[in-house]
Amino acid sequence: MQIFKNKVILITGANRGIGQSFVKALLNSEARKIYVTCRDLKKMPAFDADRIVPLQLDITDDKQVAMTAITASDTEILINNAGTLSPGNMLQGNLSGMENDLKVNYFGTIKMMRAFAPILIKNKPSLLINIVSIAAYSPLPSIAGYAASKAALYSATQSVRIELAKKDVSVYAVNPGAIDTDMNKGSDWNMPDPDSIAIKILESIALGKLDIVPDDMGQGMYAAWRDEPAKLSKIFSDLYHGENYAI
Ligand SMILES: NC(=O)c1ccc[n+]([C@@H]2O[C@H](COP(=O)([O-])OP(=O)(O)OC[C@H]3O[C@@H](n4cnc5c(N)ncnc54)[C@H](OP(=O)(O)O)[C@@H]3O)[C@@H](O)[C@H]2O)c1
């Protein structure tokens, strides 16, 4: 994957899950420097390479975002991977969980895009990669707030793609289905592992695909949505047994 060779890359939420898998895959792709960021550096795995630069970064914290942009001003590829998921449906789910998902997934990622847009423009040609979710298209009711935060992020990603189109910054939207990480702990679904998905995502980026659905489950949901969004309601209402409504 030549596109990553000798590049300076920053990844948010790099301490576990898909973020950690990106780091491993990018080390194999001969990236020049990888800023691996996370909220608590004590939780960062030892990646054991001189090219790794760990930084503390909570993407909702304005000061930390600003400091990171100063320290990592040589970034050429930004991977906005950090995210949270609060379960709950739209009509009865916990509102503070929904607000937190918006705060991290939507506003946190916007803060990162705003802080790094001038850097990516300066260091062009550059890449901005947002890890969104298939939930942006297909809101499973048991994670309705998360889905709404990802739909908002998907919209923001498309706006920024246009805003940066003439600046030589390519903006990617990655919309996976369910992947076997802590985010899906306890689920009995048959899910792909994050290492293989991270490689698939990077391969698609290398091919210049701006909209990426890297897994079979995501592809199926995307196809149903593209055909007719109401079809997803049918699939999900068969899967979803719902909360009990007080009538
Ligand atoms: N797994 C899936 O099925 C799936 C599907 C589609 C999309 N995605 C998206 O893929 C991305 C990675 O998810 P994952 O499955 O790898 O989840 P994960 O294993 O739960 O990891 C989430 C990562 O985000 C970090 N994070 C959370 N809040 C943060 C904040 N305010 N600032 C900085 N970092 C923060 C976490 O850090 P801490 O360790 O400090 O909590 C952790 O590193 C997310 O955006 C997720 O929405 C996942």
Side-chain angles (χ1 to χ4, degrees), residues 67-199:
M67 278 304 299
T68 305
I70 291 168
T71 309
S73 64
D74 51 352
T75 299
E76 297 167 292
I77 300 177
L78 171 62
I79 305 183
N80 283 315
N81 164 77
T84 53
L85 185 158
S86 305
N89 70 13
M90 194 48 78
L91 296 177
Q92 295 175 316
N94 183 312
L95 269 183
S96 63
M98 290 187 187
E99 282 170 2
N100 191 57
D101 283 357
L102 273 175
K103 185 175 170 193
V104 177
N105 301 341
Y106 182 55
F107 289 109
T109 308
I110 290 176
K111 284 175 203 263
M112 286 298 293
M113 291 197 287
R114 288 184 173 209
F116 277 83
I119 293 168
L120 294 173
I121 292 168
K122 171 174 68 80
N123 298 335
K124 69 185 181 182
S126 51
L127 314 183
L128 167 57
I129 300 156
N130 286 345
I131 309 304
V132 190
S133 169
I134 201 65
Y137 299 106
S138 52
L140 187 64
S142 51
I143 53 168
Y146 171 80
S149 74
K150 290 292 187 172
L153 174 59
Y154 184 53
S155 177
T157 303
Q158 292 173 94
S159 293
V160 171
R161 180 181 287 165
I162 300 161
E163 290 174 45
L164 295 178
K166 295 195 176 80
K167 309 280 188 194
D168 224 354
V169 182
S170 304
V171 179
Y172 294 77
V174 181
N175 291 43
I179 313 299
D180 192 4
T181 68
D182 293 345
M183 200 166 263
N184 290 310
K185 213 187 263 173
S187 163
D188 56 5
W189 287 1
N190 186 15
M191 295 174 281
D193 66 89
D195 284 354
S196 64
I197 288 300
I199 291 168

